[in-house]
Amino acid sequence: MDRLLNQLVEEAPDAILIADREGIIRFWNRGAELIFGYDASEAVGQSLDLIIPENLRGRHWEGYWRVMSSGETKYNTGLLSSPGQRRDGSRVSLEFSIVLLRDEAGAMQGCATVMRDVTERWKKEKELKERLTACEAKLTNS
């Protein structure tokens, strides 16, 4: 089973990463390499700032420190949506889930995330909304 779980984590097309209590990346799978453009050797040991757009970092860290100190998050279930940043500086639209990681005594150790690139779907939805708005404007003006 360990071999199968390792294969699942390493070969998943989704980004799977683990960050410690300080927000330092400790695990980075092949899916993360494909989505963000950094090899594991480049990402592991770096701050999560590596993939967080600069204008969102303040809000991210405020929430991260709150979760690490309280051990609670309102995102235990469901998916979060947020932009990320690739190596080349381009944005990626992400949906992801979070798992809080604790030691044997229950103390917070960090978190794991599973992230999926939904950029193409987001672009299509945006285009459809714009087309709908244009159609509604035509109907209103008729």
Side-chain angles (χ1 to χ4, degrees):
M1 186 57 87
D2 288 345
R3 183 185 62 76
L4 295 175
L5 289 173
N6 188 49
Q7 185 178 352
L8 166 71
V9 169
E10 283 299 333
E11 297 301 321
D14 294 334
I16 301 173
L17 60 106
I18 294 174
D20 66 17
R21 190 175 168 82
E22 287 74 40
I24 302 300
I25 298 166
R26 298 300 175 192
F27 178 82
W28 185 266
N29 77 334
R30 183 174 169 273
E33 291 179 352
L34 296 172
I35 291 173
F36 295 107
Y38 295 96
D39 291 336
S41 63
E42 298 171 295
V44 172
Q46 299 298 313
S47 165
L48 286 170
D49 283 345
L50 187 70
I51 60 171
I52 300 169
E54 190 171 340
N55 66 318
L56 300 177
R57 290 177 186 166
R59 188 170 69 187
H60 163 80
W61 289 113
E62 179 183 310
Y64 195 87
W65 301 133
R66 184 176 57 250
V67 169
M68 288 301 120
S69 66
S70 71
E72 297 178 12
T73 177
K74 61 183 177 182
Y75 302 114
N76 282 331
T77 60
L79 293 173
L80 287 103
S81 297
S82 180
Q85 184 169 294
R86 294 184 178 110
R87 178 186 197 125
D88 65 6
S90 64
R91 292 275 180 115
V92 57
S93 296
L94 302 166
E95 284 185 348
F96 57 100
S97 56
I98 297 175
V99 176
L100 299 181
L101 303 173
R102 302 171 190 277
D103 66 14
E104 297 80 16
M108 288 300 302
Q109 295 297 293
C111 67
T113 59
V114 179
M115 300 179 181
R116 177 164 290 169
D117 179 351
V118 294
T119 305
E120 289 307 312
R121 185 180 79 206
W122 185 85
K123 285 178 182 177
K124 287 176 185 176
E125 288 175 2
K126 183 179 177 188
E127 180 185 323
L128 285 172
K129 287 176 187 175
E130 289 170 353
R131 290 172 65 190
L132 178 60
T133 299
C135 288
E136 288 172 340
K138 283 183 183 179
L139 283 174
T140 301
N141 294 332
S142 299

